Amino acid sequence: MRPLTPLAALAALAALSTVTACSADAVGDPKGKRGGEGTVTVRIPDPGNAGVLARGKKDGSLDKALAAVGAKVAWTGSAGPFAPAAQAMNADQLDIATGSITSGITSLSQSPGFAFFTATDPDPVGEGILVREGSDITSVQDLVGRKVAVNKGGTGEYLLLKALAKAGIPADKVERVYLRPDQTAAVFNAGQVDAWAVWSTYAVAEIGTGKARFVADGAAIGSDNYSLNAVRSDFAEEHPEIVKALYAYLHENSAKEKKDPAAYLNVFTDAGPTAVNGKAKDVQIAFTGKGGTVDPIGPEDITRFETVARFYADQKVTPVKVDIAAHLLDVEKLS
């Protein structure tokens, strides 16, 4: 198994600005080309206060790994939802980003300029359908006639539709309330929706308060919601050795994170909105320990990707089935 958020791996209350909020200096960096010193700049969303890249940023190990292949990082904006990251890659403002296969499929349906080069197994415990403690919703069947918050076309909508399909419930029996993930907590806690289909980045904070619980997690839903790392297509073509080096770094260090999750939390600060403390910290550690590692995309992964693409088309989330296989790289064969 592999962790849900290998590249961003944000703390529960990560910075809310999207990856398109690039600084002038970052956007002005060479666009994946060698500068005067012969170094290639790789534009990556800032990882915040947790995860493999946050630790690599702090201890210099990422700089060292990339320097070995003539590259350096420009931290560009903040990690967040994949849809704006995909737009930034298409606009040549970003080179690397992380997202779910579900949001990846919807982004691929819109003239993509990126490809995926790693896979992380679906999170069995950190994603699912969240309800408030004390709710009379005790099963997926109890969602009939209720309002469920989801992010349109992404993980939330997928988890809800997948849960309903598995339970044999027509999708139109549950009202989907489309909200941005960073806007949903207040609506959920105010009781304006009955449930929230969500993943660990946001679920940890809610479960950590002791006031929310999963009525069905990823394992119960049968989720195929992989986490993937994407690279701008032109960058991968021009600098395959850098993509391969970044994969090797993520693979090795995600295995270390799985063994010692606490060491990858509160990397820069243990206070403030990006820190995870108390019960929420225990929840995050447990989730990460049951997650997986960043791995190459294998044949069995592609089969499951295709299943998600077909499901999205059947559910009318995408107008047609997206050809996900056409946008995958075999990182082990890059040279």
Side-chain angles (χ1 to χ4, degrees), residues 242-321:
I242 297 174
V243 179
K244 193 168 186 176
L246 183 58
Y247 156 71
Y249 182 85
L250 294 169
H251 175 71
E252 177 182 353
N253 287 281
S254 64
K256 294 178 181 178
E257 182 186 29
K258 179 178 171 65
K259 291 179 180 178
D260 186 14
Y264 292 79
L265 292 175
N266 301 336
V267 173
F268 290 98
T269 179
D270 59 4
T274 64
V276 185
N277 292 300
K279 184 180 177 181
K281 184 174 182 179
D282 295 337
V283 171
Q284 182 65 72
I285 289 171
F287 283 176
T288 302
K290 294 177 182 177
T293 56
V294 178
D295 290 327
I297 298 170
E300 71 285 357
D301 302 318
I302 297 174
T303 298
R304 292 175 72 179
F305 296 172
E306 294 285 358
T307 298
V308 178
R310 189 175 303 107
F311 179 75
Y312 257 27
D314 291 344
Q315 295 288 330
K316 311 301 182 185
V317 177
T318 57
V320 297
K321 179 180 174 295

Side-chain angles (χ1 to χ4, degrees), residues 100-181:
S100 63
I101 182 62
T102 48
S103 57
I105 286 171
T106 53
S107 295
L108 284 173
S109 66
Q110 304 168 14
S111 303
F114 60 90
F116 295 107
F117 67 100
T118 74
T120 299
D121 281 347
D123 187 348
V125 295
E127 64 178 12
I129 312 297
L130 200 68
V131 298
R132 293 178 298 279
E133 283 293 353
S135 169
D136 61 355
I137 298 173
T138 61
S139 68
V140 173
Q141 285 80 3
D142 293 335
L143 295 173
V144 173
R146 307 297 185 99
K147 295 180 179 180
V148 182
V150 301
N151 59 316
K152 187 174 178 62
T155 292
E157 187 163 29
Y158 169 77
L159 290 172
L160 175 60
L161 292 173
K162 182 74 173 178
L164 295 176
K166 185 174 182 180
I169 300 169
D172 62 4
K173 296 297 183 181
V174 176
E175 181 180 347
R176 279 169 269 176
V177 179
Y178 292 117
L179 293 169
R180 276 177 26 195

